Amino acid sequence: MTLRLVRYRGEPYLWALIVGAALGVLSLVSPLIAVGLIAGVVFAALAFARPVMLCYVLVAAVVFLSGMPRGGLVPLFIPNEPLLAAAAGFTFVVLLLRRDGRRLPNAVIAALLFMILGTAIIPVLMYYVRDFPLSTSDIFSLVAPAQYALIVWIFASLPRDDDDRYRIVHFMLICGSIVAAIGLLEAIRVPFVVSLIRDFYPNVHFNTAAELGRITSIMGAWNSLGNFLMINLIMVLALHGYPSRGKWGSINLIVNLILCGAALLASGSYASLGGLALSLVLVKTFDRRGWQIIFLLLLSVFVQ
């Protein structure tokens, strides 16, 4: 009995020794493998302990990693794509373990299938029909739109209630504010920000943008940045006027509105500005609450 008790108490230390030795060996092969293993274990623990955390991870990955070049950090992939694949795998397991299985409405499933067909499958087939040479990287780029179907499925399945969705949306806006702030710092040519974009988010628009007085932030192109900021502002306009769940929610909306409004004008994306104006008319036609926020948006643009 004493022997069993000693073994039981010492078991966690034994596992710690084994894991530490394994990490040490992997570090000799490549430090990145060991770091990746640690990150994978933490990721898995979060995924199973609180599955909705996968949504936060994906939001951050899309915002801060999708502007990186394909194959630059991860061979063949943009860094957010392997994270999406891992999140989809964990979501599948989580839904199997849940007893309240959810499924998307048939109309949404049909829409997603048509989207994949039109944006991924047909373009690839057309290139093959015309006997156009495609590299592996080109194929991954062409089928990339299919990942949005996975994103819809994950975000529709993991949040438990409106409180979860509310917090996720506000986290999206926080990430959008950070992207806008980076863009505004780029506009005044802060050395650290310029180096960050040049080293980790290289793109053909960067130097041209500086010459034209535009910004790209970490989105890779001023049009991509403009569309991203426009969507942030549409979300703010749609959310404003609804009951806020805490003072920080209202502050988050105002901060995002000011930063994204100024950064959108600095991006020089006139298509996004036109889209924002059209969206403003559509949103406020059906919801006339909160018109005062429009004046704040105009003020932020004027100050910029």
Side-chain angles (χ1 to χ4, degrees):
M1 179 67 68
T2 303
L3 179 59
R4 288 184 180 179
L5 185 61
V6 171
R7 288 178 60 187
Y8 176 77
R9 288 180 177 176
E11 187 174 350
Y13 301 101
L14 178 60
W15 279 111
L17 180 62
I18 293 173
V19 172
L23 289 175
V25 172
L26 290 174
S27 297
L28 294 176
V29 178
S30 172
L32 292 178
I33 296 178
V35 172
L37 179 61
I38 295 173
V41 171
V42 173
F43 185 78
L46 288 174
F48 288 116
R50 194 156 183 259
V52 74
M53 289 299 296
L54 290 173
C55 295
Y56 293 91
V57 171
L58 283 181
V59 169
V62 170
V63 172
F64 299 114
L65 299 179
S66 62
M68 291 183 174
R70 180 174 297 277
L73 191 61
V74 181
L76 299 179
F77 294 102
I78 299 173
N80 64 291
E81 293 173 347
L83 285 174
L84 174 60
F90 280 112
T91 301
F92 180 75
V93 175
V94 168
L95 294 182
L96 285 179
L97 297 175
R98 277 184 179 177
R99 298 191 180 275
D100 58 336
R102 305 176 188 177
R103 64 186 306 270
L104 293 173
N106 291 334
V108 175
I109 294 175
L112 292 174
L113 290 176
F114 277 113
M115 183 203 72
I116 294 173
L117 182 66
T119 60
I121 297 176
I122 291 178
V124 172
L125 291 177
M126 291 302 297
Y127 276 111
Y128 275 110
V129 167
R130 291 184 292 171
D131 200 25
F132 190 90
L134 291 174
S135 65
T136 305
S137 179
D138 292 333
I139 294 174
F140 276 114
S141 296
L142 287 171
V143 301
Q147 66 186 310
Y148 296 116
L150 283 178
I151 292 175
V152 170
W153 172 61
I154 292 171
F155 279 81
S157 302
L158 292 182
R160 287 283 193 174
D161 49 34
D162 287 342
D163 286 337
D164 278 346
R165 297 181 185 93
Y166 180 84
R167 286 188 286 265
I168 291 171
V169 168
H170 274 278
F171 181 70
M172 291 178 182
L173 295 178
I174 290 172
C175 293
S177 296
I178 295 173
V179 172
I182 292 173
L184 294 174
L185 293 174
E186 175 195 356
I188 60 176
R189 312 304 291 176
V190 173
F192 168 74
V193 173
V194 172
S195 299
L196 172 71
I197 298 173
R198 183 183 293 116
D199 295 340
F200 293 97
Y201 303 89
N203 61 84
V204 296
H205 284 210
F206 181 66
N207 291 329
T208 306
E211 295 172 2
L212 297 176
R214 295 183 172 187
I215 59 174
T216 62
S217 189
I218 59 175
M219 289 290 131
W222 57 71
N223 286 330
S224 298
L225 175 64
N227 289 333
F228 174 80
L229 297 172
M230 177 190 69
I231 292 171
N232 271 263
L233 291 170
I234 293 173
M235 290 170 60
V236 172
L237 294 174
L239 287 173
H240 185 72
Y242 285 86
S244 177
R245 307 184 187 190
K247 186 177 181 180
W248 71 271
S250 299
I251 294 174
N252 190 29
L253 293 179
I254 294 173
V255 170
N256 184 275
L257 184 77
I258 294 173
L259 291 176
C260 290
L264 176 58
L265 188 63
S267 72
S269 177
Y270 298 110
S272 300
L273 287 168
L276 176 63
L278 177 60
S279 301
L280 173 61
V281 173
L282 292 175
V283 169
K284 290 307 175 184
T285 296
F286 296 98
D287 182 5
R288 299 181 181 277
R289 292 173 294 181
W291 271 98
Q292 60 269 30
I293 201 169
I294 308 303
F295 297 103
L296 186 59
L297 173 61
L298 295 175
L299 179 62
S300 68
V301 172
F302 176 77
V303 170
Q304 198 282 333

